[in-house]
Amino acid sequence: MSEVIVLVDHVDGTVTKPTLELLTIARSIGEPSAVYFGGGEVPSALSEHGAEKVYQLDDAVYAEYLVAPKAEALAKIVADTSPAAVLVVSGGEGKEIAARVALKTEAGLITDAVDVAVDGGTITTTQSVFAGGYTVKATATQGAPVICVKPNSATPEASAGAGAVEAVSVEVTDAAKGAKIVSSKEKAASGRPELTEAAIVVSGGRGTGGDFSEVEAFADSLGAAVGASRAAVDSGWYPHSFQVGQTGKTVSPQLYVANGISGAIQHRAGMQTSKTIVAVNKDDEAPIFELVDFGVVGDLKAVLPQATEGVVKRKG
């Protein structure tokens, strides 16, 4: 069975959920091997989710500089192992590393995949393109495909793997050291999950009138992340880092709840691959209702408090 390389995304040794999703996907197309940048003990979550081998790269250069050293190291591992595919979490850093690796290994690059499968021995991906107007199947025709997969594209499934750790040392070129990290600041904790990784996202738009309290309360009752439309962000009601849409973040949760959002194509492009979509809007002709699985015609300020109360009672 061919090796499938998974680039590990982690925060201080804690493996993120999207990486566990990639390991689950990797098992369906080959034998998972993880590439872990960091020192100390390798997280057990990798072997617990199927990693047969873990390539560990413990060098300060990967933390001192931006993505170029990681891309060089990953490209070297790909060249040495000739895997069936390379899977990377679709995010800012992941996409940049993936693009550099594809260029260095002369391989095809596929971004924002929502599914990866083997069809007749060929690895095939599914993507939502042109602002969500089309769903396409794609394959890379050259090299080991480098595939960026959107978070929440699979459900992590535990499966014991050997998790054999192999220390790897790569001589990073001076050319990769052109952008050094001079300072960093820990993001303030909100208690809510990361927007792009959350299984449930509750968003607010122009209909909030600038008051997101009902949206936040409902999100907290579900353990969900909070998102915002471009209209809400442009009005200064919510930070840009929470914007869902073509010019914001793309999310693909199990459940997406849009509140007071008209459903313009800009917003739809960022959330319409969600598994289940619910909308609350007092305009029964809002475009968002063309997309949803469940719709509620009503004022979010009246609907959401009742929904929050219902969720809290169910949980209690």
Side-chain angles (χ1 to χ4, degrees):
M1 187 176 288
S2 299
E3 195 170 0
V4 178
I5 298 293
V6 172
L7 177 61
V8 177
D9 180 37
H10 69 95
V11 179
D12 297 330
T14 300
V15 179
T16 63
K17 177 174 170 282
T19 296
L20 304 182
E21 295 172 12
L22 294 189
L23 288 170
T24 300
I25 293 172
R27 293 203 308 274
S28 69
I29 59 178
E31 184 176 281
S33 291
V35 174
Y36 179 77
F37 289 97
E41 187 175 350
V42 169
S44 60
L46 299 178
S47 61
E48 291 169 357
H49 286 78
E52 296 295 337
K53 185 182 294 184
V54 180
Y55 298 103
Q56 183 175 21
L57 297 99
D58 180 11
D59 192 312
V61 70
Y62 302 118
E64 290 177 357
Y65 296 89
L66 293 183
V67 299
K70 290 183 179 179
E72 281 196 353
L74 182 55
K76 176 68 164 54
I77 292 173
V78 172
D80 290 344
T81 59
S82 299
V86 181
L87 304 183
V88 181
V89 175
S90 188
E93 180 176 288
K95 284 183 179 179
E96 186 170 353
I97 292 175
R100 290 171 179 264
V101 170
L103 183 64
K104 293 176 185 296
T105 59
E106 298 184 344
L109 171 67
I110 297 175
T111 60
D112 291 336
V114 295
D115 188 35
V116 184
V118 177
D119 185 5
T122 301
I123 294 178
T124 303
T125 66
T126 301
Q127 297 163 281
S128 179
V129 300
F130 293 115
Y134 295 86
T135 297
V136 302
K137 299 284 187 180
T139 60
T141 59
Q142 181 172 319
V146 182
I147 305 170
C148 295
V149 182
K150 283 186 178 182
N152 295 307
S153 294
T155 301
E157 297 177 359
S159 177
V165 178
E166 181 178 323
V168 177
S169 179
V170 176
E171 189 68 32
V172 176
T173 67
D174 290 338
K177 302 175 183 177
K180 188 172 185 178
I181 299 172
V182 295
S183 67
S184 62
K185 182 180 179 181
E186 187 174 351
K187 183 179 179 180
S190 66
R192 301 186 181 106
E194 170 62 32
L195 180 59
T196 56
E197 300 176 10
I200 305 174
V201 175
V202 178
S203 289
R206 196 187 304 275
T208 63
D211 181 4
F212 268 67
S213 59
E214 289 92 354
V215 172
E216 291 176 334
F218 185 51
D220 291 342
S221 72
L222 294 171
V226 173
S229 70
R230 180 173 178 174
V233 169
D234 286 351
S235 298
W237 298 341
Y238 229 68
H240 180 269
S241 59
F242 293 90
Q243 181 185 334
V244 173
Q246 197 165 21
T247 56
K249 292 182 176 178
T250 300
V251 299
S252 186
Q254 297 297 314
L255 171 62
Y256 187 87
V257 185
N259 302 282
I261 297 174
S262 66
I265 189 63
Q266 200 278 344
H267 186 76
R268 293 169 65 156
M271 46 64 77
Q272 63 183 3
T273 56
S274 304
K275 307 303 182 293
T276 301
I277 301 173
V278 177
V280 178
N281 199 301
K282 59 185 179 182
D283 179 5
D284 61 0
E285 296 184 356
I288 192 71
F289 286 125
E290 299 172 2
L291 181 67
V292 303
D293 298 287
F294 302 97
V296 179
V297 178
D299 188 339
L300 68 88
K301 295 184 182 301
V303 173
L304 289 187
Q306 296 179 60
T308 301
E309 183 181 352
V311 171
V312 171
K313 283 184 177 178
R314 288 269 185 152
K315 291 170 68 175

